[in-house]
Amino acid sequence: MTSSFSSGQNRAGVPPRLPTPPTGWPIGSYGTYEEAQRAVDFLADGDFPVQEVTIVGVDLMLVERVTGRLTWGRVLGTGAASGAWFGLFVGVLLSLFNSTPGASFGPILVGLVTGVAFGLIFAAVGYGSTRGKRDFQSASQLVAGRYDVLCQPRSAERGRDLLAKLAMRPSDVKKD
């Protein structure tokens, strides 16, 4: 039997296999994920059935933080370094299977040099293809404007009561 209040989960504590909108009743809303996580942790400490709880990020934003300027020197240096690591890895693997005595450094050196060369080539081609339209590097992050804590209806009232107790505590109090 399917309930209109189901959590979208097949079994308790097991997330659904397909993307499923969250369901449940809101028992708290927080400005940061850390605050929502603290609330769920508080519920867990109070022997609340947290498998019935879902944290939902609302008003999602993709935030791209620029971390630096890209130059040919930086691009080629990064490409050479990543190619060197990969080449070193391949060279070590090849040297493990080398049956010629005393020639264990040959495959490592060849792998390292080849890796640097390919790293330089791929980095140059990739950066050159942008034609100066992206001369910066960045890190992207998905963040929410707020985080709602939802709970199944059968436990929502108790969850709200517990979270009201948490809201009355000073925020700097640490749990034992």
Side-chain angles (χ1 to χ4, degrees), residues 86-161:
F86 184 71
L88 186 64
F89 173 71
V90 171
V92 167
L93 284 179
L94 290 175
S95 71
L96 292 175
F97 298 107
N98 188 4
S99 60
T100 307
S104 60
F105 289 112
I108 293 174
L109 187 60
V110 168
L112 184 64
V113 170
T114 305
V116 168
F118 275 102
L120 283 169
I121 291 168
F122 286 127
V125 168
Y127 184 61
S129 68
T130 66
R131 299 178 192 202
K133 292 181 182 174
R134 187 170 170 96
D135 284 341
F136 62 92
Q137 60 189 38
S138 63
S140 294
Q141 193 177 33
L142 193 63
V143 295
R146 76 171 194 272
Y147 296 87
D148 291 343
V149 177
L150 306 181
C151 179
Q152 293 308 300
R154 64 181 160 265
S155 304
E157 185 176 354
R158 181 170 170 242
R160 276 193 209 104
D161 291 344

Side-chain angles (χ1 to χ4, degrees), residues 6-9 16 18-24 54 56 150:
S6 77
S7 65
Q9 297 178 347
L18 296 174
T20 305
T23 60
T54 304
V56 180
L150 306 181

Side-chain angles (χ1 to χ4, degrees), residues 36-61:
Q37 188 177 12
R38 179 176 174 248
V40 174
D41 185 50
F42 184 77
L43 291 173
D45 292 344
D47 291 327
F48 187 83
V50 291
Q51 66 273 12
E52 297 183 5
V53 173
T54 304
I55 298 175
V56 180
V58 181
D59 298 330
L60 296 179
M61 299 173 271

